[in-house]
Amino acid sequence: MMRWSQALLNTLREAPQDAEIISHKLMIRAGMLRKMGGGLYTYMPLGIRALRKVEAIVREEMEKAGAQETLFPILQPAELWKQSGRWETMGPGMFRLKDRKDAWYVLAPTAEEAFTALAKNEISSYRQLPCIIYQMQDKFRDEIRPRFGLIRGKEFLMKDAYSFDADEAGADISYRKMYDAYVRIFQRVGLQATPVEADTGDIGGNFSHEFMVFASSGEDGILNCEACGYAANQERAERVVAASPYAVEAGAFEMVATPEQHACEDVAKFLGVPQNQVVKSLVVLADQKPVMVLVPGDREVNLLKLRRVLGGAKIEEADEATVLSVAGPCGSIGPVGVELPVYADRALKEAADVIVGANKEGFHLRHVSLARDAKILAYEDLVIVAEHDACPKCGKPLAIRRGTEVGQCFKLGTKYSEAFGASYLDETGAPRIMTMGCYGIGVSRTLQAIVEQSNDENGIIWPAAVAPYQVGLLVLDPDNPDVVAKADALAEALEANGVDVFIDDRSERPGVKFKDADLIGFPIRVVAGAKGFAKGGFEVRRRTEKDSAIVPPEKMVETILSLLA
Ligand code: ATP
Ligand code: MG
């Protein structure tokens, strides 16, 4: 129970300038959060209560799934990160600092290294497997663009879990347990989060789901099939190729002048052919060696897919000098006559009458048959899937939606266990490497995502499970002893039944109290006033409803409990 007269709570009429999205605005206006600096927020008393409730649900579901809680230091020695190689690969997104003895440390952005090193030391026998451990701990990331309040912070609360199994089959079971726990967590906190197939990115590994909350402010693109429910991150989504749009027959290729035409679109217009008749060629460095990628001229290369095809190689941009030395001047390159490995998109498999760069400024080649005139190492899925492309599951057109990731499950394989030598002795006494998974939930991001999804023009609408207080009890006549006595008695009875009550006992006008209660978003609003009592009781209203009902005092606890059930 809390009384506003004693609470550190200030609601604001206006949102701060830098709050771009509704949830950020509402969290500040409702007095839940205050900004300390870019990407750094202080939880006010109401805000931390809601965060703790989300945390509690995450914890309960982790324990139910058999995961054990631990707590690791945030400040971690650089050596740990050097051992996995991520001291080099994490780049400027990782905060690094030195102690007084000049030893380097990291403010952990995630914790695969720390958990794997622990498992190496603590787990030695197959009898100790499977093992899932987790922590609820702040993480630090020097984000390029911290914004949207808790959605993208420099410091944020993450639940991170790691599974250790004897083999791939065991790892699949652990993955499933965590995946199922995630589904229950998001259900329980009242958030609609959709699992989508995702790429495994820098973390390494081979299989992943992201739990996405659809929102117009989302920074990720998700391809979604309304017909069959297929959903995949745009980075990951598979492109299915219908019948080849390319001619089967082509005479010998010839050089054609295309002065100052570089982009495929321009070359196509200039030569009067459809854009997909031109082949887009790109040279990139894969583990520092140049490779060429070909895609239809109307498509974009998906470098993450290329990376997967190349077994996880590090893909970097190639500078102009490198491109010139292995192919030709940028904007006029093509696969004919080059000596570097060339990978082509699957859609180009039968491309027999296409236009490619001639590796000579201002010239292209036409009537090129890739199979005949170029050396293609492999045809793979290498393009970014776009809206209206066919669903890989059912063939219906895909829609693109914006989303924010609230959680992610990864099958990691043995990348970290190998780097740290995390092995165990199997039944026969032979050493074997552990198979891992890792599972993150942005707990603070989840909190704000709930608000982003659940609000109206008057303010937040908290799902009861995570509301800072489930009942807002507005005392309209705080100077009337009878009203105050009835309100206090109700608050006590509710608290005794496990319901959190926030009492607005300020001497403010009723209108102000109503507005604030809606802004803060108590799932249930109870009004205690002389007028209502004259009509027979408290006025009770759900945050989602317009009209309130008069409920006699003796029926109140029962009524509230049934509304919350
Ligand atoms: P994003 O793509 O949104 O940057 P990520 O894929 O880099 O996220 P993970 O490394 O998978 O994030 O971290 C696990 C979870 O931590 C994410 O699902 C997300 O909910 C949360 N998270 C990541 N970065 C931030 C951040 N800067 N602020 C708040 N939460 C974050
Ligand atoms: Mg992620």
Side-chain angles (χ1 to χ4, degrees):
M1 182 190 320
M2 186 72 205
R3 291 170 199 279
W4 196 322
S5 60
Q6 287 149 32
L8 181 61
L9 170 60
N10 292 300
T11 54
L12 307 175
R13 226 175 254 258
E14 300 288 330
Q17 280 289 311
D18 68 340
E20 298 168 66
I21 61 174
I22 187 70
S23 55
H24 186 189
K25 289 181 185 164
L26 289 175
M27 291 292 276
I28 304 273
R29 284 189 54 216
M32 313 248 167
L33 283 185
R34 289 294 179 254
K35 181 176 177 177
M36 178 188 263
L40 299 170
Y41 289 85
T42 303
Y43 296 89
M44 299 299 284
L46 284 188
I48 194 71
R49 282 183 68 92
L51 184 76
R52 293 289 181 239
K53 290 193 177 180
V54 176
E55 255 185 78
I57 291 173
V58 174
R59 224 177 232 117
E60 268 178 46
E61 293 299 335
M62 282 296 114
E63 302 285 329
K64 263 193 237 165
Q68 305 172 63
E69 186 164 9
T70 55
L71 189 62
F72 282 69
I74 296 171
L75 186 66
Q76 303 183 346
E79 283 65 40
L80 205 51
W81 290 79
K82 287 183 177 157
Q83 203 167 338
S84 67
R86 287 207 288 184
W87 175 260
E88 282 80 30
T89 57
M90 287 299 266
M94 185 156 79
F95 282 104
R96 299 155 207 249
L97 65 168
K98 278 200 258 186
D99 71 5
R100 65 175 77 205
K101 292 183 189 136
D102 268 356
W104 280 101
Y105 289 82
V106 162
L107 291 182
T110 171
E112 284 76 17
E113 284 77 358
F115 276 78
T116 313
L118 186 89
K120 174 203 160 56
N121 290 332
E122 302 294 330
I123 301 177
S124 50
S125 157
Y126 71 95
R127 289 191 197 86
Q128 291 168 282
L129 299 174
C131 177
I132 308 179
I133 39 183
Y134 76 100
Q135 67 171 344
M136 189 80 68
Q137 178 68 294
D138 273 5
K139 302 289 180 297
F140 291 80
R141 292 184 188 181
D142 196 354
E143 296 278 359
I144 296 170
R145 242 189 122 185
R147 58 177 186 160
F148 300 158
L150 300 181
I151 298 283
R152 190 169 295 287
K154 282 188 167 135
E155 176 175 356
F156 58 96
L157 182 60
M158 193 203 285
K159 183 287 300 171
D160 44 328
Y162 305 83
S163 63
F164 300 90
D165 276 277
D167 51 28
E168 197 67 31
D172 284 348
I173 296 171
S174 295
Y175 187 93
R176 192 72 219 176
K177 277 190 190 156
M178 288 293 110
Y179 179 99
D180 290 344
Y182 276 30
V183 171
R184 286 194 301 268
I185 287 166
F186 293 119
Q187 246 164 25
R188 282 185 64 189
V189 302
L191 190 63
Q192 273 178 32
T194 307
V196 311
E197 289 176 22
D199 199 88
T200 45
D202 261 351
I203 204 156
N206 43 25
F207 193 72
S208 171
H209 283 94
E210 287 170 349
F211 286 75
M212 285 287 179
V213 174
F214 293 124
S216 52
S217 60
E219 294 179 283
D220 289 341
I222 299 131
L223 286 151
N224 187 215
C225 174
E226 270 161 30
C228 77
Y230 171 82
N233 194 308
Q234 193 168 21
E235 292 171 344
R236 162 92 187 189
E238 194 190 335
R239 164 117 173 101
V240 283
V241 185
S244 170
Y246 299 103
V248 192
E249 291 291 321
F253 69 82
E254 62 185 26
M255 197 166 315
V256 50
T258 48
E260 285 173 50
Q261 311 300 316
H262 296 125
C264 291
E265 192 186 349
D266 300 336
V267 174
K269 268 198 204 129
F270 185 81
L271 296 175
V273 298
Q275 201 173 324
N276 67 359
Q277 208 69 36
V278 181
V279 170
K280 186 179 287 182
S281 310
L282 183 75
V283 170
V284 294
L285 299 177
D287 284 340
Q288 281 151 35
K289 291 194 202 77
V291 301
M292 185 179 276
V293 197
L294 309 179
V295 297
D298 57 349
R299 311 294 309 207
E300 296 300 326
V301 179
N302 183 331
L303 292 177
L304 282 168
K305 287 183 178 174
L306 176 68
R307 179 184 161 153
R308 211 171 325 128
V309 164
L310 297 178
K314 185 172 182 194
I315 308 289
E316 290 166 297
E317 223 176 284
D319 59 49
E320 278 188 36
T322 308
V323 178
L324 188 63
S325 70
V326 297
C330 283
S332 307
I333 63 171
V336 177
V338 298
E339 285 303 324
L340 70 172
V342 182
Y343 294 86
D345 182 59
R346 287 204 296 237
L348 293 171
K349 189 126 197 219
E350 288 162 41
D353 187 6
V354 288
I355 293 157
V356 302
N359 294 321
K360 189 171 168 194
E361 176 57 38
F363 287 91
H364 278 76
L365 303 177
R366 66 176 166 203
H367 307 313
V368 169
S369 155
L370 289 184
R372 183 192 64 197
D373 305 324
K375 260 190 280 172
I376 311 291
L377 213 58
Y379 292 89
E380 301 277 358
D381 176 19
L382 292 172
V383 300
I384 296 177
V385 172
E387 182 141 44
H388 310 308
D389 275 350
C391 169
K393 290 251 162 77
C394 75
K396 298 263 163 51
L398 291 166
I400 200 161
R401 301 180 72 178
R402 309 304 307 167
T404 303
E405 178 193 320
V406 285
Q408 184 159 19
C409 295
F410 285 102
K411 265 170 70 176
L412 279 174
T414 55
K415 172 174 164 154
Y416 292 93
S417 40
E418 263 164 33
F420 285 86
S423 58
Y424 66 97
L425 298 179
D426 70 10
E427 290 86 334
T428 67
R432 290 182 61 183
I433 211 84
M434 294 181 225
T435 305
M436 290 177 60
C438 71
Y439 317 89
I441 288 185
V443 180
S444 45
R445 181 185 281 185
T446 296
L447 176 70
Q448 200 183 301
I450 294 168
V451 176
E452 186 71 20
Q453 215 172 57
S454 187
N455 65 76
D456 66 9
E457 65 282 7
N458 299 319
I460 301 173
I461 305 175
W462 285 110
V466 296
Y469 292 89
Q470 294 151 317
V471 171
L473 174 53
L474 319 190
V475 184
L476 294 195
D477 304 288
D479 301 325
N480 179 330
D482 178 51
V483 171
V484 171
K486 284 196 173 99
D488 285 352
L490 172 64
E492 258 160 51
L494 287 173
E495 291 269 338
N497 280 278
V499 179
D500 308 324
V501 184
F502 188 87
I503 307 176
D504 187 352
D505 59 345
R506 296 173 301 168
S507 37
E508 287 284 358
R509 285 179 293 112
V512 172
K513 295 189 179 188
F514 292 145
K515 265 204 154 61
D516 278 336
D518 277 357
L519 175 61
I520 294 168
F522 305 110
I524 297 172
R525 185 187 82 186
V526 175
V527 174
K531 257 197 225 157
F533 288 130
K535 283 193 237 164
F538 293 94
E539 291 167 48
V540 178
R541 196 198 78 165
R542 275 186 209 257
R543 175 64 180 78
T544 48
E545 284 165 4
K546 267 216 161 72
D547 301 317
S548 48
I550 298 280
V551 178
E554 66 279 8
K555 289 262 185 226
M556 276 302 285
V557 171
E558 188 191 326
T559 305
I560 301 289
L561 289 178
S562 74
L563 286 177
L564 289 173

